Amino acid sequence: MAIVATNLETTGSNVDATSYTTGSVAPSANAVVLLGVWSARTSGVISPTPSGLGLTWTLEAAFDFVAGTRRRSLWSALTGGSAPTPGTILLDFGADKTMIGCAWTIIDVTGINTTDAVLQPTTNSGTGTSGSVTLAAFGSASNATFAFWAHGESEVTAPEAGWTELGDYNNTLPKIGFESEWLNANDTSPTASWVTSAAWGGIALELVAVAGGVVYERTSIDGLLIPDEKYRDEAHTQRDQLLTGDLF
């Protein structure tokens, strides 16, 4: 079964608020829903707490790409065997945490491993007219690559050549160019580009394809093959270290 990615909504708001509500979306059964969020604040920017659709949201990665004022966050949620009732997602920053802008992308992905869909979420940031994120070798040639980008100018973002853009949003005050893209193949160096040099932040990840009992393996540094169970544990450890800051 091939992986299929669908943009459910990519938009945002430049209204000052402590919470934002997405439009109504309708994820598929046996899917992973990816929720990428950009948040802006004059200082002390934070990630929201998402809720909605009756799903459990797992934070995969979060980081400031402009210290204290601009933040990128990514969650995943598995839908299970029944499609959720269509509805909105609440992005709640807390009653005393007013943001000056927020943008989000909601992606529905089918054809994935429904017990462990996301591997090696990885972040990077910088300043320039393009961004890149480096991933490790993938667990299977059947796995797909996803990337989410934000940069500090109100303009479109161009996906990497050969990739499919899922959503693109931009706004002013605060300036934001925000995009999601995917490739139904392995790519250990996803990129995106834009016209005006600006601070940028990106998150990329590997999505695990459903394989009907095939066990994926990964070659370790010493040439030995590591079963997929150990690979998943290792990837999740790296994700936890990334979230706590212990990876660097």
Side-chain angles (χ1 to χ4, degrees), residues 3 7 12 26 94 100 107 116 132 165 177 186 226:
I3 294 178
N7 176 39
I100 60 174
I107 308 299
D116 203 359
S132 64
E165 185 173 72
N186 297 181
I226 303 173

Side-chain angles (χ1 to χ4, degrees), residues 91-203:
L91 306 174
D92 186 9
F93 290 91
D96 61 340
K97 303 293 184 183
T98 299
M99 300 296 122
I100 60 174
C102 183
W104 55 88
T105 184
I106 308 168
I107 308 299
D108 179 86
V109 188
T110 57
I112 47 84
N113 183 319
T114 56
T115 60
D116 203 359
V118 175
L119 290 180
Q120 55 165 333
T122 304
T123 70
N124 197 16
S125 60
T127 300
T129 58
S130 64
S132 64
V133 176
T134 300
L135 298 175
F138 281 40
S140 167
S142 299
N143 293 354
T145 317
F146 281 74
F148 305 86
W149 307 95
H151 73 283
E153 288 291 339
S154 178
E155 59 190 14
V156 299
T157 301
E160 181 176 351
W163 282 55
T164 298
E165 185 173 72
L166 292 164
D168 197 307
Y169 167 81
N170 60 84
N171 208 335
T172 58
L173 298 175
K175 293 180 179 180
I176 176 61
F178 180 83
E179 189 245 21
S180 55
E181 60 185 45
W182 84 296
L183 180 71
N184 196 9
N186 297 181
D187 188 339
T188 57
S189 56
T191 65
S193 60
W194 40 88
V195 173
T196 307
S197 180
W200 61 268
I203 301 174

